[in-house]
Every structure is written in structure tokens, then in C-alpha cells.
Amino acid sequence: MKRVVAFGPGRVNLIGEHTDYNGGLALPFAIAEGVTVTATATDGGEIHAVAHDFDGETDSFAVAEPPRGAEGWRPFVRGIVAELAIKQGARLEIRGDLPRGSGLSSSAALEVALALALLGLEERDVDRHDLAKICSRVENDWVGAQTGLLDQTASLLSTDGHALRIDFTTMETTSVPLELGDWQLVTVDSGDHHSLSAASGYNERRAECEEAAKRLGVVTISDAREEDTAELPTTLAKRVRHVLSENARVDATVAALERRELETVGRLLDESHASLRDNYEASTDRVEATAKRLRKSGAAGARMVGGGFGGHVLALFPPDAPPPVDARAVRPGPGARLLEGG
Ligand code: GLA
């Protein structure tokens, strides 16, 4: 029977936070860790999935009619099968080495690996930009997380050794060499875990940004100008200020990387953090304490990453400053790919 093995990497967003659903810019990169899906074709129209990292939990359903209403990892499988209109029955083995809830996007890694494995079995090819949208739809409609396109685009389109500049208005992507030399990028857990309050904070920010765009008569707030913020209530003005300044910081980071000015990249990470804290109001005490601790141990810059309201802090360490023991080194790796078959 035909067998395909596909890998979807996790990602780190170097800079450009809360810009994806605002038509802005971001600069993520895929990392070495991720999710591997082994798909073996079976006779009959059923999907049988085994999640090895979830104590070998299983799920079985008719390929023609993936049922709704599941929780945990199952809606990812059902949603991918449904949204890709998969016809081939299969046995799916899911394994990963990304810690869940670590801010490294285990969800996108899972969606992407499932999609490539199932498409591989059917010998179908879907444009990767379109596939990112399909995977994101699974997350929105099947899993119930109102996230943007950052994670799936990073997992699918990143290239080894590079960050990926994404323009979320045009969906144009550009690979930017991420040459760190002896410098290190690390992430550290703040200890404040993603929770319902994180999800509601995220959704509230999205709603505020939509409201600001509506009041200014622009499609997304990335089309606004700094002077327009004078027309807005203080809170909405701050959200717009964050997005406009964050977009500018993405391109300043691209320019600094081109000039190999890593000190400048560190400063931009600090500025991003300050704006996420003061303008976007997405920080927590523990995130603040973690960012401070990292700067104190010699980081050239540190910032909260991901949806905010807890989660992880990313820091850039120069060669002479060893990161603390609880830091996880992250390096740019290749994007999603087939490891076997297809
Ligand atoms: C989460 C979402 C992304 C993005 C970030 C904030 O990680 O999954 O789509 O919105 O938050 O930049």
C-alpha cells in the first residue's frame, strides 16, 4: 500500500506581532522541531488516526463525512480531511517533538503535516499559499481558534537558514537570510500559560482593530497613517500605533539583517516588546519579569511572542553572553516537506 511521510515544522516569529490579521508585515522562520505524519493508504473509506504524543489516542471516521464536535487534536484531522475533500482512506500516525502550548505553533505544524501527507497519498498538489489558507480555515472553523495566517504560512513557505518576510495584504513572501554567526536566538517560558483569558484577549484585540479600521474607512489598519490616530478614542489609537510601528520594525529588522547588525535587531525586539506592552496591552507580570531577566543575563533584546497574554519570550544573545539554563535555542530550518513517498 502506498505510504507518505510528511513533516510540518513549528515556527518562531522574529518580529511582526499582531500584524497578520491587520494586513501588515511579519518575519517568522520555521524551526527544526515539528510534527511528522505517516499516512498509509487503506481500502475502504475510513480514516484511522493514532496520536502518539497524546498517549496513543485514536480517532476513526468515514472519509466522506468527517464528524464535527471533537476536542483536542481530533478536529485538526477531521477538518483537514474535510477541507481538502480527501477521498482516499488512510491510517495516520502522528508524532511530534514540539512541546504543546510552547508558542512554537504545534497546531500549524500538525495541520500542515496532515495536509501534505494526505495530498501526497492522492498525488495532488495544492499551491502552498492556498494550502496555508485551507489550514487556517481548519483552525478557525473546526478547532475554533480565530488565528491569522502567520503560523501556517511560516510552516509551509520558510526556507532553510532564512526568515520569511510576509506581507499579509498581498500575501507576497520573501526569504531573508538569517545569519546569526555566534549569536543565539532562544525562547523562554514565562510560566503564564495560554488560557481562556489569552484567547479572549486575542479576540478582543482583533475586534478593536476591526473597529479602528471601520472608523477610519480603511480595509485594514495597516492602511492607516499615524496622523489618523488623532480621530480615534485612546485605546483604538494605541492599537493602530502598535501595528503601524510594528510593520516599520519588520522592515527595519530586514535591513539590519542585511547589514548583519545584530545589536540593532536586539534593539528592535525590545521596541516591539515595549509597543506590545504599552500600545497593545498584551503583556502580563510574568512575561515582563521574564523579559527583564533575559535582558539582565545579557540579551541584546527580548520580546513576548505569539498571541500574548502569557506564553513565551524570545531573546537574542550575543556570543559572549550564555543564555540561562531554561532557554531553548531556536534556529531557522527548512519549511514543510515530504520525507518519503508522494
Ligand atoms: C497567534 C496567532 C497568529 C498571530 C499571532 C500574533 O500566534 O496564531 O495568527 O496573530 O498570534 O502575531
Side-chain angles (χ1 to χ4, degrees), residues 3 5 16-17 33 39 44 53 55 69 72 92 124 141 161 174 192 199 218 232 236 245 270-271 286 298 306 337:
R3 197 175 99 125
V5 184
E17 215 68 86
E33 297 85 358
D53 308 320
D55 299 328
L92 304 173
R124 281 164 62 197
D141 297 352
T174 319
D192 255 351
V218 289
L232 293 172
L236 298 189
S245 63
D270 280 344
E271 287 175 13
R286 282 185 173 178
R337 60 205 179 273

Side-chain angles (χ1 to χ4, degrees), residues 65-252:
E65 221 174 331
R68 293 214 174 236
E71 300 218 322
W73 60 277
R74 292 183 181 92
F76 289 93
V77 183
R78 297 176 184 191
I80 289 287
V81 168
E83 297 293 337
L84 288 173
I86 295 295
K87 305 252 175 337
Q88 172 67 56
R91 180 178 165 78
L92 304 173
E93 309 253 357
I94 304 167
R95 288 191 176 79
D97 57 1
L98 276 171
R100 281 190 299 278
S102 60
L104 298 174
S105 202
S106 52
S107 303
L110 173 59
E111 293 151 21
V112 160
L114 284 166
L116 290 188
L118 287 163
L119 289 170
L121 275 191
E122 294 193 345
E123 294 179 17
R124 281 164 62 197
D125 212 8
V126 174
D127 170 81
R128 288 199 168 201
H129 283 96
D130 295 338
L131 196 51
K133 287 188 191 138
I134 294 169
C135 290
S136 162
R137 200 155 69 220
V138 169
E139 195 144 332
N140 296 167
D141 297 352
W142 288 76
V143 182
Q146 297 313 309
T147 53
L149 271 171
L150 170 72
D151 308 338
Q152 296 80 5
T153 309
S155 184
L156 279 161
L157 288 145
S158 289
T159 52
D160 199 6
H162 292 73
L164 188 72
R165 179 188 182 277
I166 310 170
D167 178 333
F168 290 96
T169 292
T170 59
M171 284 317 291
E172 191 189 333
T173 53
T174 319
S175 290
V176 177
L178 186 51
E179 287 162 4
L180 297 171
D182 292 333
W183 291 59
Q184 274 192 77
L185 277 167
V186 302
T187 64
V188 170
D189 189 355
S190 70
D192 255 351
H193 287 288
H194 287 299
S195 61
L196 280 180
S197 70
S200 58
Y202 183 88
N203 291 341
E204 188 182 273
R205 292 296 172 276
R206 286 194 73 143
E208 288 165 348
C209 292
E210 273 166 34
E211 172 66 19
K214 207 164 101 193
R215 287 185 187 226
L216 295 175
V218 289
V219 180
T220 66
I221 56 177
S222 292
D223 295 331
R225 289 160 311 169
E226 172 65 37
E227 55 268 33
D228 297 338
T229 56
E231 297 170 31
L232 293 172
T234 320
T235 303
L236 298 189
K238 287 207 271 190
R239 308 302 184 245
V240 174
R241 235 173 259 136
H242 167 69
V243 171
L244 294 181
S245 63
E246 188 75 352
N247 288 340
R249 279 186 290 272
V250 168
D251 275 342

